[in-house]
């Protein structure tokens, strides 16, 4: 793969604000936020968090496995636009999880 192709593969498609949304949304300290463009200005955003200590005690796991296991703590369908460099994010549907 050429360097130009590799660089292009890492960039978001024109108009895709997924990475900007991931950086902008509020999160808890251990959350990992993943966002994907569904269509037009609409995105699905999931907040992944590690297992709670209560869950971990029910499932005895090696430390590396516990670190690898996360759950979706919150999920939102969002509408995001960018005007004059300012990211505007609004909820676009009923909240799936809180």
């Amino acid at each position: 793969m050429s360097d130009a192709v590799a660089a292009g593969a890492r960039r978001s498609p024109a108009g895709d604000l997924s990475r900007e949304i991931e950086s902008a949304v509020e999160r808890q300290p251990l959350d990992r936020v993943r966002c994907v463009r569904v269509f037009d200005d609409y995105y699905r955003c999931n907040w992944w968090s590690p297992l709670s200590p209560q869950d971990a005690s029910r499932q005895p796991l090696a430390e590396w496995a516990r670190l690898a296991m996360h759950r979706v703590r919150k999920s939102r369908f969002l509408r995001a636009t960018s005007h004059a460099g300012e990211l505007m994010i609004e909820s676009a549907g009923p909240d799936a999880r809180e």
Side-chain angles (χ1 to χ4, degrees):
M1 182 182 307
S2 74
D3 289 336
V5 173
R10 286 191 297 265
R11 276 189 250 133
S12 297
D16 187 349
L17 301 172
S18 298
R19 301 302 153 243
E20 291 86 349
I21 295 167
E22 288 174 1
S23 297
V25 294
E26 190 174 322
R27 64 183 78 212
Q28 292 182 358
L30 298 177
D31 281 352
R32 294 180 184 178
V33 178
R34 300 299 299 159
C35 187
V36 294
R37 185 178 187 186
V38 180
F39 63 93
D40 296 333
D41 294 336
Y42 295 90
Y43 299 81
R44 170 56 70 190
C45 203
N46 291 324
W47 285 256
W48 292 81
S49 67
L51 290 173
S52 68
Q54 297 84 4
D55 293 337
S57 67
R58 286 194 297 256
Q59 300 175 354
L61 298 171
E63 182 64 23
W64 63 267
R66 200 170 15 257
L67 291 172
M69 295 186 64
H70 282 67
R71 64 180 174 86
V72 175
R73 179 181 66 76
K74 180 167 75 170
S75 184
R76 295 273 190 269
F77 189 54
L78 305 172
R79 180 171 184 264
T81 56
S82 180
H83 298 289
E86 184 176 344
L87 183 64
M88 305 295 292
I89 303 172
E90 59 189 59
S91 182
D95 297 336
R97 287 188 180 172
E98 183 69 35

